[in-house]
């Protein structure tokens, strides 16, 4: 059974800092991995999707990497801003479903 | 605007009173699914649908029903809600399960 773990569960940083969020999964047989952002009271917003054949994806200040063989992904956020404060979820796609981690709650202070 | 909509957004109900949460997408996606989110447990899949009249159970289907009579709609039915179904529910859609998933805004359900 696929299990997804995210570390740390919570992170507090000052504005401007570069940071890394970690995601690990137990079964390397995945189609892709997605990183989502969740704001309180709102739905999930897809940030990046990495296909299983890819190593990384970039969007603006965000960079996500995927190492399928070791079961790990990282989300790198450059020059963090208070508006980046949210919960970040990673999810791996298996057969007909996404399996989610429990998220990292990020707080960026001005 | 491409989107997934859910209604209602908030619902408080009593044990045993049947309810339906609607989900609709305007992107002509074949694949749709329902998840529930609980503290410490993350999001877990309830049901999914690969196309019209094609539905199947996810990881936590007990106490729920779904139907897919039209491509754009995928309602979640709780025929006899219980307090352990108090949760935040999300509907999602995508071209297929292995493609990017788009999520609705969520429905917060409280069963007393």
């Amino acid at each position: 059974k696929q299990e997804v773990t995210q570390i740390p569960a919570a992170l507090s940083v000052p504005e401007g800092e570069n940071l890394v969020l970690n995601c690990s999964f137990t079964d390397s047989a995945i189609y892709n991995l997605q990183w989502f952002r969740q704001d309180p009271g709102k739905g999930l917003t897809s940030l990046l999707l990495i296909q299983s054949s890819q190593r990384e994806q970039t969007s603006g200040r965000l960079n996500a990497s995927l190492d399928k063989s070791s079961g790990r992904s990282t989300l790198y956020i450059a020059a963090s801003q208070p508006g980046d404060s949210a919960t970040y979820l990673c999810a791996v796609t298996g057969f007909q479903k996404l399996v989610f981690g429990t998220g990292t709650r990020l707080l960026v202070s001005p | 605007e491409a989107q997934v909509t859910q209604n209602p957004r908030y619902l408080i109900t009593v044990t045993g009173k049947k309810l339906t949460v609607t989900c609709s997408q305007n992107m002509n996606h074949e694949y749709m699914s329902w998840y529930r989110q609980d503290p410490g447990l993350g999001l877990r899949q309830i049901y999914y649908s690969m196309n019209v009249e094609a539905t199947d159970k996810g990881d936590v289907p007990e106490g729920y029903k779904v139907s897919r009579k039209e491509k754009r709609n995928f309602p979640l039915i709780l025929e006899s809600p219980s307090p352990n179904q108090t949760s935040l529910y999300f509907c999602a859609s995508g071209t297929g399960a292995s493609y990017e998933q788009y999520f609705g805004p969520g429905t917060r359900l409280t069963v007393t």
Side-chain angles (χ1 to χ4, degrees), chain A residues 1 3 5 9 11 23 30 78 88 96 103-104:
Chain A
K1 178 186 173 186
E3 293 182 2
T5 304
L11 183 62
C23 172
I30 63 171
Y88 291 81
Q96 299 297 345
T104 294

Side-chain angles (χ1 to χ4, degrees), chain A residues 38-45, chain B residues 3-13 19-24 34-35 37 76 85-91 103-111:
Chain A
Q38 184 175 21
D39 295 280
K42 296 188 178 180
L44 279 66
T45 302
Chain B
Q3 61 182 350
V4 178
T5 57
Q6 294 179 226
N7 283 293
R9 294 289 314 279
Y10 303 91
L11 179 60
I12 300 174
T13 190
L19 65 92
T20 299
V21 183
T22 65
C23 172
S24 183
W34 276 102
Y35 292 83
Q37 185 178 31
L76 180 69
Q85 293 179 296
T86 292
S87 188
L88 180 58
Y89 291 87
F90 289 102
C91 179
F103 280 76
T107 294
R108 185 167 292 282
L109 172 66
T110 301
V111 183

Side-chain angles (χ1 to χ4, degrees), chain B residues 22 27 45 52 61 77 81 91 95 99:
Chain B
T22 65
M27 295 169 278
Q45 190 186 60
V52 175
I77 303 157
C91 179
T95 305
Y99 294 87

Side-chain angles (χ1 to χ4, degrees), chain A residues 1 31-32 34 36 38 41-47 49 51 89 93-102, chain B residues 9-10 31 35 37 40-45 48 50 59 88 90 97-106:
Chain A
K1 178 186 173 186
Y31 291 105
N32 59 49
Q34 277 189 256
F36 293 90
Q38 184 175 21
K42 296 188 178 180
L44 279 66
T45 302
S46 180
L47 298 173
L49 181 147
Q51 297 292 352
L89 300 167
T93 303
F95 179 71
Q96 299 297 345
K97 69 178 178 184
L98 275 67
V99 179
F100 284 84
T102 51
Chain B
R9 294 289 314 279
Y10 303 91
Y31 179 86
Y35 292 83
Q37 185 178 31
L41 297 176
L43 282 92
R44 294 174 293 167
Q45 190 186 60
Y48 67 91
M50 291 177 286
D59 292 326
L88 180 58
F90 289 102
S98 58
Y99 294 87
E100 185 173 3
Q101 298 296 301
Y102 297 83
F103 280 76

